């Protein structure tokens, strides 16, 4: 067998190994049975009732990667509930890359809340409506994290880009490995219209569903990365950036569906907007 064929077969195996199986890749970490892995590892559900929510985390830690998850959000009157999907490191000065889905009354749109934390400091919120009903079917929510940028995407359409602007003195998460987390919990003190709309427990249990978890990522284990610096071409996402078409789609989303941007909130930052706002 030639060396090139062997490498090709090994690479194919790596790709196959990254296919979703929740039994292999995920630990349900809390919820006392409210988080369930079903269909031979192909489906995961989280439930929330008046006693508890539920959550899970990835078995692996990652230092850079492209994480995809198909999620079907809580249907009907989901006011007061929050479904989260995020990357986070450990410790008191953690890094974090956040998707949060804020529930609403039947017929009113979900709010997609995004944030980036570095060394325990966030305050970089952007919020969006979606251009579809996220409770009717599964949709793909993706986090691309490489040394140059973070890109939040929905069904392949970018909704937010956070660039590495360390050259301007803006902190960027790049040294702490993170796990993937998700949870469904009650946050009716703030989630819907600032806490004005409370959770209707007569509609419980509330359920969110997950499929097709995929982590094209550098696994961090025992202080080492699984990604080889000698073969970066196998990990195209490590240098991925938005092409012209993607930039246009990002602008379309931000023009038509963005409902909050910290970079325009002058009341919140009376001493001046954060440095990155001059570029982002």
């Amino acid at each position: 067998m030639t060396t090139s064929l062997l490498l090709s077969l090994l690479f194919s195996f790596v790709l196959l190994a990254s296919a979703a199986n929740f039994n292999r890749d995920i630990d349900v970490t809390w919820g006392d049975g409210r988080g369930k892995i079903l269909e031979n590892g192909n489906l995961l559900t989280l439930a929330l009732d008046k006693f508890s929510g539920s959550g899970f985390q990835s078995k692996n830690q990652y230092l850079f990667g492209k994480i995809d998850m198909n999620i079907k959000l809580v249907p009907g009157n989901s006011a007061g509930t929050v479904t989260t999907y995020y990357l986070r490191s450990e410790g008191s000065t953690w890094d974090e890359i956040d998707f949060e889905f804020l529930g609403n009354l039947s017929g009113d749109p979900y709010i997609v809340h995004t944030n980036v934390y570095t060394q325990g400091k966030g305050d970089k919120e952007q919020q969006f409506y979606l251009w579809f009903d996220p409770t009717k079917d599964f949709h793909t929510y993706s986090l691309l994290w490489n040394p140059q940028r973070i890109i939040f995407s929905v069904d392949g359409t970018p909704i937010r880009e956070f660039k590495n602007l360390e050259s301007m003195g803006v902190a960027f998460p790049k040294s702490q490995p993170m796990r993937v987390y998700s949870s469904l919990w009650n946050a009716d003190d703030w989630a819907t219209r600032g806490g004005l709309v409370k959770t209707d427990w007569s509609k419980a249990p509330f359920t969110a569903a997950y499929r097709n978890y995929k982590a094209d990522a550098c696994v961090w284990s025992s202080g080492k990365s699984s990604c080889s610096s000698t073969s970066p071409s196998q990990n195209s996402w490590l240098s991925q950036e938005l092409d012209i078409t993607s930039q246009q789609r990002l602008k379309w989303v931000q023009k038509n569906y963005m409902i909050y941007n910290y970079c325009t909130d002058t009341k919140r930052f009376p001493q001046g907007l954060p440095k990155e706002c001059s570029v982002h």
Side-chain angles (χ1 to χ4, degrees):
M1 184 179 292
T2 66
T3 302
S4 59
L5 179 57
L6 180 60
L7 286 172
S8 176
L9 288 170
L10 283 172
F11 186 47
S12 297
F13 175 77
V14 168
L15 288 176
L16 285 169
S18 68
N21 185 297
F22 288 118
N23 283 320
R24 185 192 63 224
D25 300 328
I26 294 296
D27 289 320
V28 176
T29 46
W30 63 281
D32 195 24
R34 291 171 181 83
K36 294 183 171 68
I37 297 175
L38 307 165
E39 297 181 6
N40 297 315
N42 291 315
L43 175 69
L44 189 152
T45 59
L46 294 181
L48 163 69
D49 58 34
K50 70 169 89 176
F51 301 105
S52 178
S54 48
F56 66 82
Q57 69 183 44
S58 62
K59 293 180 189 288
N60 286 327
Q61 290 181 297
Y62 307 106
L63 187 62
F64 305 124
K66 184 175 184 292
I67 311 296
D68 299 322
M69 186 82 80
N70 289 9
I71 308 174
K72 182 160 66 171
L73 295 174
V74 175
N77 181 1
S78 58
T81 72
V82 175
T83 307
T84 68
Y85 161 55
Y86 59 102
L87 288 161
R88 180 176 167 131
S89 67
E90 298 172 352
S92 58
T93 55
W94 74 97
D95 295 341
E96 185 172 335
I97 305 168
D98 262 353
F99 266 121
E100 297 188 12
F101 306 94
L102 313 186
N104 217 328
L105 295 167
S106 297
D108 288 343
Y110 261 81
I111 292 174
V112 180
H113 174 100
T114 66
N115 205 350
V116 176
Y117 289 77
T118 310
Q119 298 290 315
K121 182 170 172 48
D123 300 330
K124 302 181 189 302
E125 299 91 347
Q126 290 183 354
Q127 294 183 335
F128 306 84
Y129 288 145
L130 292 166
W131 48 97
F132 54 84
D133 182 344
T135 72
K136 297 293 187 190
D137 206 348
F138 287 89
H139 292 269
T140 304
Y141 301 90
S142 304
L143 293 168
L144 172 74
W145 170 39
N146 67 31
Q148 298 84 35
R149 59 188 44 81
I150 295 162
I151 301 171
F152 298 75
S153 299
V154 178
D155 288 339
T157 294
I159 65 169
R160 177 176 186 179
E161 180 181 29
F162 185 83
K163 295 178 180 175
N164 183 338
L165 297 173
E166 289 177 305
S167 60
M168 295 174 56
V170 178
F172 185 85
K174 66 171 192 180
S175 58
Q176 300 191 73
M178 301 199 239
R179 290 187 199 276
V180 179
Y181 294 87
S182 186
S183 61
L184 173 57
W185 54 289
N186 177 48
D188 67 3
D189 54 336
W190 64 270
T192 306
R193 293 185 59 210
L196 292 176
V197 183
K198 300 300 183 182
T199 304
D200 181 356
W201 293 114
S202 73
K203 302 293 193 295
F206 303 97
T207 303
Y210 301 77
R211 288 190 187 277
N212 296 331
Y213 168 64
K214 184 181 180 187
D216 270 340
C218 301
V219 176
W220 187 263
S221 180
S222 304
K224 292 183 179 179
S225 170
S226 64
C227 292
S228 168
S229 59
T230 59
S231 56
S233 60
Q234 291 186 5
N235 303 304
S236 59
W237 51 264
L238 258 176
S239 57
Q240 187 174 331
E241 55 189 329
L242 294 176
D243 60 20
I244 296 297
T245 302
S246 295
Q247 290 176 32
Q248 291 171 342
R249 293 166 82 187
L250 175 66
K251 287 177 182 174
W252 173 78
V253 171
Q254 297 197 336
K255 178 184 176 184
N256 293 289
Y257 294 98
M258 180 184 279
I259 58 171
Y260 177 79
N261 183 4
Y262 77 107
C263 276
T264 59
D265 194 343
T266 52
K267 288 183 180 177
R268 183 178 172 189
F269 300 103
Q271 306 303 314
L273 294 169
K275 295 175 187 175
E276 67 269 16
C277 293
S278 64
V279 176
H280 276 131

